[in-house]
Amino acid sequence: MHPSRIKALLKWLALALSVVSLLASCAPSATPTPTPRPTPTFVSMLTPTPRPTPTPIKGEGQVVVFGQGAWEKWLGDLFIAKFEKESGCKVTYFGGLSSAMLARIKAEAGRPTVDIVNMDLAPQTDAKMMGLLEKNNRDILSNLEFVHPKLLDPDDMGIPFIMLGGPVIAVRHDKLKERNLPMPESWLDVANPAYKGRVGITVITATATQNFVALIARALGGNEVNDYVRAFDWVESKLAPNVMAVVAVAEWQKLLEEGSIWVGVGTWGRAAESAYRGIPVTLVWAKEGNNIDLNNLVVVKGASNPVCAQLWMNYALSKEVQDAIPEGLLRGPVRSDVAISEKVKDLVIKPADIDRAVELNRDALAKNLPDWVDRWTRIFGK
């Protein structure tokens, strides 16, 4: 072929390739087909992903409980056997007073023979300061979420079990009515000369009496930390001339019931028991306010069976146990979801009372107690 023809043919081929390339670049690109996804249904959008149910913590072996003697039968009749069956822990329970519990775990420090003790707030505070208590195991104590936050131990050592009430002004209203005497409304009214010789008060080793002195300090415009000397001056000059007897708790209740005491300062629970049995006793919540005392469960440092001890505490906070406390023990429950029946609503501390209660400085009370005992003894003798 002639060279000129070959040159012309190559020019046309190059032009054709350019056109093809241009057309290819202008053509729409192919769209990949997406993998279809299932359309979520209304139910699937609301239903959370199932979570595995946590395995309940079980115990085994024996747990030794040093508790309140007066409650042993109540606990045994209603709850101990059920707890043993559900938990795998065998309960050995014996009773006593909070002061005896503190003395025992102090004497047995480092080698305790009990796992858990059931004590009032003042001895519990002392036990914490002495380093005799274990911290709570929150993995076991699931029922703590139902307890009013103000009742929880700030150091997370032990749990509130029962609200006892603080001290109470217990009045034989029949005796006052017979003599047309006024009902006391204030803590300071206990010193009214109209009650001279008919006032009874519990001993200073009773938590209620210690709280009473603290509340007197507040009623006088001070507090239990800096002004308790002023409170003791009032006790000596104003209250002591009115007092017929300074006695142990059981004797105080006996004198109240027989009518020897017309106005008494003592433990809320004892006065409630008397009123529940039909004794004409009125429980007065003083206008300056009252504190709420607690009965607590605490695990002893170095306990042989801390798992069963924590399980026992968690069971004590169960709805089943707490629902039974108001009428079973005439004491207040610590769970906020327990309803109080009309039958006992004026006799027990209620969850609704927590927010109006006075909060006392427990550390100051524990620290100053030896001085308080000394001052009280100088006024009233042993």
Side-chain angles (χ1 to χ4, degrees):
M1 183 179 291
H2 193 275
S4 62
R5 286 182 173 271
I6 294 173
K7 187 175 180 181
L9 180 61
L10 291 175
K11 185 183 290 188
W12 279 107
L13 285 173
L15 180 61
L17 288 173
S18 298
V19 172
V20 170
S21 176
L22 179 63
L23 290 175
S25 66
C26 294
S29 59
T31 302
T33 304
T35 303
R37 298 180 180 179
T39 302
T41 64
F42 182 70
V43 173
S44 69
M45 287 189 288
L46 293 182
T47 305
T49 303
R51 296 182 179 181
T53 302
T55 304
I57 297 175
K58 300 283 285 185
E60 61 180 16
Q62 177 179 266
V63 58
V64 181
V65 181
F66 189 176
Q68 301 292 324
W71 303 344
E72 181 175 2
K73 187 176 187 307
W74 177 79
L75 286 166
D77 288 349
L78 295 179
F79 303 117
I80 288 179
K82 183 174 182 180
F83 169 77
E84 290 178 336
K85 182 178 180 181
E86 293 180 353
S87 69
C89 304
K90 178 70 176 176
V91 176
T92 296
Y93 187 104
F94 62 97
L97 300 174
S98 290
S99 56
M101 296 175 200
L102 179 60
R104 177 162 182 161
I105 64 174
K106 183 179 179 181
E108 296 179 350
R111 45 182 179 79
T113 60
V114 297
D115 298 298
I116 189 166
V117 291
N118 181 197
M119 55 173 49
D120 297 339
L121 195 52
Q124 182 205 11
T125 302
D126 291 342
K128 280 198 302 181
M129 293 173 67
M130 297 175 193
L132 300 174
L133 306 181
E134 292 280 8
K135 289 188 74 71
N136 292 333
N137 184 337
R138 290 284 181 146
D139 291 335
I140 296 177
L141 295 176
S142 58
N143 285 324
L144 272 179
E145 67 174 296
F146 301 106
V147 177
H148 195 292
K150 285 187 177 180
L151 301 182
L152 298 178
D153 183 75
D155 302 306
D156 208 25
M157 291 186 179
I159 63 160
F161 174 38
I162 291 172
M163 291 194 293
L164 303 175
V168 66
I169 305 175
V171 182
R172 281 296 301 260
H173 55 258
D174 58 327
K175 300 296 183 182
L176 299 193
K177 185 176 181 180
E178 288 171 5
R179 295 158 180 81
N180 199 29
L181 297 178
M183 286 283 289
E185 299 178 353
S186 162
W187 293 115
L188 302 177
D189 288 346
V190 179
N192 186 335
Y195 311 142
K196 186 176 178 65
R198 293 295 184 173
V199 173
I201 190 166
T202 50
V203 293
I204 191 63
T205 51
T207 302
T209 307
Q210 298 164 24
N211 293 344
F212 167 66
V213 174
L215 291 165
I216 288 296
R218 290 181 175 236
L220 293 171
N223 60 60
E224 64 275 15
V225 179
N226 302 313
D227 307 293
Y228 69 85
V229 173
R230 185 179 174 192
F232 277 100
D233 289 342
W234 178 89
V235 168
E236 183 171 15
S237 63
K238 302 293 186 181
L239 177 61
N242 265 17
V243 173
M244 181 192 80
V246 178
V247 290
V249 172
E251 181 66 14
W252 177 85
Q253 184 178 12
K254 179 174 178 287
L255 293 173
L256 182 68
E257 291 190 357
E258 70 184 25
S260 299
I261 292 173
W262 298 350
V263 176
V265 176
T267 60
W268 187 288
R270 293 284 187 149
E273 290 170 2
S274 300
Y276 187 76
R277 292 200 303 269
I279 307 297
V281 172
T282 296
L283 283 67
V284 176
W285 182 288
K287 68 180 183 181
E288 298 91 352
N290 201 346
N291 71 295
I292 290 178
D293 208 355
L294 295 172
N295 179 268
N296 304 282
L297 293 171
V298 294
V299 178
V300 181
K301 189 80 171 178
S304 299
N305 199 336
V307 172
C308 281
Q310 300 276 348
L311 286 170
W312 174 256
M313 292 202 303
N314 196 53
Y315 183 61
L317 293 177
S318 67
K319 188 72 161 53
E320 176 186 26
V321 174
Q322 291 287 311
D323 277 342
I325 286 171
E327 293 195 32
L329 295 179
L330 290 178
R331 303 297 194 270
V334 298
R335 283 181 65 123
S336 301
D337 56 355
V338 173
I340 310 296
S341 71
E342 286 292 317
K343 186 177 181 180
V344 297
K345 69 179 180 62
D346 294 327
L347 302 180
V348 304
I349 299 296
K350 301 171 284 297
D353 294 325
I354 297 172
D355 289 326
R356 66 170 179 152
V358 175
E359 293 187 45
L360 299 177
N361 188 318
R362 293 291 167 189
D363 291 339
L365 289 176
K367 179 181 177 181
N368 295 323
L369 183 57
D371 187 35
W372 289 32
V373 172
D374 182 62
R375 290 175 182 276
W376 186 271
T377 302
R378 290 204 300 267
I379 297 170
F380 294 110
K382 294 185 178 180

